[in-house]
Amino acid sequence: MIKFLDLKGINQQYREGLRLAFDRVLDSGWYILGNEVNLFEQQFAEYCGTKHAIGVANGLDALILIIRAYKELGVFKDNDEIIVPANTYIASILAISANDLIPVLVEPDIDTYNIDPKLIEAKITTRTKAILPVHLYGNLCDMKSINSIAEKYNLKVIEDCAQAHGATNDGKAAGNFGDAAGFSFYPGKNLGALGDAGAVTTNDTDLAVTIRALLNYGSEKKYHNQYKGINSRLDEVQAALLGVKLHTLNDETRIKREIANRYLLEIKNPKIKLPKIATQEQHVWHLFVVRTANREKLQQYLTEKGIQTVIHYPIPPHKQQAYKDWNDLRYPISEEIHREVLSIPLNFILTSEEVSYIIKTLNDYGKD
């Protein structure tokens, strides 16, 4: 079986470096908010081209803390609206709801799967305070258009970069296109920890200072609590492990792009719809997602042929029980995407032979 994502095999590539990093933390005797977190934050800020990177416990907390910090700074208030794609993992929307703001859903572009900038302005009201674009599957949104709209209406732009580590456009990296950005380092991400972890990037020093306090019980100085904060600290072990993997991220992305390019050029089955991209630099291929009219049939066929696949994501957010008040709403493009998508294996340890087999198997689909 060709695994969809062989995390054990992937992390074996770093085995010695990870062991040395863990031993360094163990021997230091300092396990929370120490040198490893500081070093990784500096390295990740440099990688993204931002003034600040703030380590947090996970990607959802990264988005929650950005919005919460804007509330503490008086930029947002309860019942303000944030525009967010209807086609996304639910975390993007949960972060808005968790802060007592209102998510306003906008349909995606059927070709890119990202929020369609042409549909944003129609959803802007007097209560709209921000746009939260999601670089879904690792593909950069049309940030030029989104930032132009945000500037016109004086809105904040909060990037959800959970799947887009290292994606670039005109030399600028994901996490540096808006006012702030949230990253996830969940183990399966392009830059993945060995557990949960996340980060915020921003060029806004006031925002960064506020987030640092909020994530540490609302305290800038020990036992002095400025805010009703939470505990969302990136720990020393995960920071050290992420530092090891960050050094090779660009090389791994290059390999993934080469595999993705083979898929784009060599999969020619008309029953399978391939993703469309503007440039390779704008996509880091966290996922390679195809679409087909009968997804379950294709998935079963690939399973029988020894190829593991995953559905990202089977149910759109507006159809989830968590948002039952939205269940009667219709977002037909998002619903079509969620009904048809299937993610095929794409990671940097796939062999050329495995890639060829996946391509041949997809091309043979439906010939029987």
Side-chain angles (χ1 to χ4, degrees):
M1 174 69 73
I2 299 175
K3 292 184 179 180
F4 174 74
L5 186 63
D6 181 3
L7 283 178
K8 180 178 179 180
I10 286 171
N11 285 312
Q12 288 299 314
Q13 313 301 307
Y14 318 99
R15 187 180 185 89
E16 187 58 30
L18 294 175
R19 282 186 167 181
L20 290 172
F22 179 81
D23 286 346
R24 188 171 67 245
V25 176
L26 181 65
D27 293 342
S28 75
W30 191 286
Y31 308 124
I32 297 289
L33 296 182
N35 291 333
E36 298 294 342
V37 169
N38 290 337
L39 178 60
F40 175 72
E41 288 177 341
Q42 292 169 16
Q43 292 173 337
F44 195 65
E46 183 178 354
Y47 183 80
C48 296
T50 57
K51 290 182 182 177
H52 305 281
I54 305 113
V56 298
N58 55 71
L60 175 56
D61 279 3
L63 295 175
I64 288 173
L65 284 163
I66 291 168
I67 298 170
R68 171 71 188 282
Y70 275 132
K71 288 184 72 175
E72 296 291 353
L73 291 168
V75 178
F76 299 161
K77 63 180 184 302
D78 287 356
N79 296 316
D80 280 344
E81 296 173 349
I82 295 181
I83 288 173
V84 65
N87 175 47
T88 184
Y89 182 56
I90 200 169
S92 314
I93 296 169
L94 291 173
I96 301 169
S97 301
N99 280 289
D100 297 316
L101 274 72
I102 299 172
V104 176
L105 306 187
V106 172
E107 285 269 58
D109 181 313
I110 191 66
D111 290 328
T112 67
Y113 307 131
N114 286 333
I115 191 169
D116 189 339
K118 297 188 297 295
L119 303 179
I120 290 176
E121 285 195 77
K123 294 296 186 80
I124 294 174
T125 72
T126 56
R127 293 195 297 175
T128 307
K129 292 296 187 292
I131 305 171
L132 199 160
V134 180
H135 305 307
L136 199 64
Y137 311 144
N139 188 22
L140 277 182
C141 294
D142 180 356
M143 293 308 299
K144 183 177 180 180
S145 297
I146 291 169
N147 283 334
S148 178
I149 295 167
E151 185 176 355
K152 179 178 178 181
Y153 292 93
N154 193 30
L155 307 176
K156 295 294 184 184
V157 175
I158 302 168
E159 295 175 77
D160 184 336
C161 298
Q163 302 181 2
H165 317 68
T168 62
N169 187 20
D170 292 333
K172 183 176 284 192
N176 195 20
F177 285 97
D179 297 282
F183 285 85
S184 168
F185 304 126
Y186 181 78
K189 303 299 187 188
N190 288 27
L191 179 61
L194 269 65
D196 267 323
V200 172
T201 57
T202 185
N203 293 309
D204 184 335
T205 299
D206 289 340
L207 184 73
V209 169
T210 305
I211 290 172
R212 287 192 183 281
L214 286 170
L215 67 84
N216 189 32
Y217 299 98
S219 173
E220 292 182 37
K221 180 181 179 182
K222 194 169 185 179
Y223 303 130
H224 294 259
N225 300 82
Q226 187 173 350
Y227 308 106
K228 297 175 183 177
I230 62 173
N231 177 9
S232 182
R233 301 176 297 207
L234 175 63
D235 70 64
E236 288 284 281
V237 170
Q238 297 300 346
L241 302 181
L242 286 165
V244 173
K245 300 176 78 173
L246 180 60
H247 294 300
T248 59
L249 180 56
N250 286 343
D251 290 336
E252 291 154 16
T253 299
R254 175 183 53 78
I255 295 170
K256 294 180 76 173
R257 284 174 173 153
E258 290 171 357
I259 295 170
N261 197 48
R262 284 197 63 189
Y263 285 160
L264 292 171
L265 292 174
E266 299 178 39
I267 297 172
K268 299 181 181 296
N269 191 329
K271 295 181 182 293
I272 297 170
K273 301 169 188 175
L274 300 175
K276 295 183 180 180
I277 62 171
T279 67
Q280 279 282 11
E281 289 71 27
Q282 289 178 230
H283 209 316
V284 291
W285 300 105
H286 170 60
L287 299 172
F288 193 98
V289 179
V290 302
R291 288 170 40 226
T292 190
N294 193 334
R295 174 177 61 201
E296 285 69 26
K297 182 179 178 182
L298 176 60
Q299 186 172 44
Q300 180 61 32
Y301 163 80
L302 291 172
T303 300
E304 291 170 356
K305 297 295 185 179
I307 300 169
Q308 185 181 42
T309 59
V310 177
I311 298 171
H312 296 93
Y313 304 96
I315 305 171
H318 70 282
K319 295 297 184 182
Q320 298 284 358
Q321 179 64 21
Y323 289 98
K324 59 185 177 183
D325 292 344
W326 294 351
N327 287 175
D328 292 332
L329 299 178
R330 289 276 289 125
Y331 293 92
I333 299 174
S334 294
E335 290 163 22
E336 179 181 350
I337 291 169
H338 285 256
R339 187 170 59 247
E340 294 185 348
V341 290
L342 186 67
S343 301
I344 65 174
L346 200 171
N347 59 77
F348 70 91
I349 65 169
L350 282 175
T351 66
S352 179
E353 291 75 18
E354 287 173 327
V355 173
S356 295
Y357 178 71
I358 292 167
I359 292 168
K360 181 181 185 305
T361 304
L362 285 166
N363 283 333
D364 288 343
Y365 172 66
K367 289 184 178 180
D368 298 336

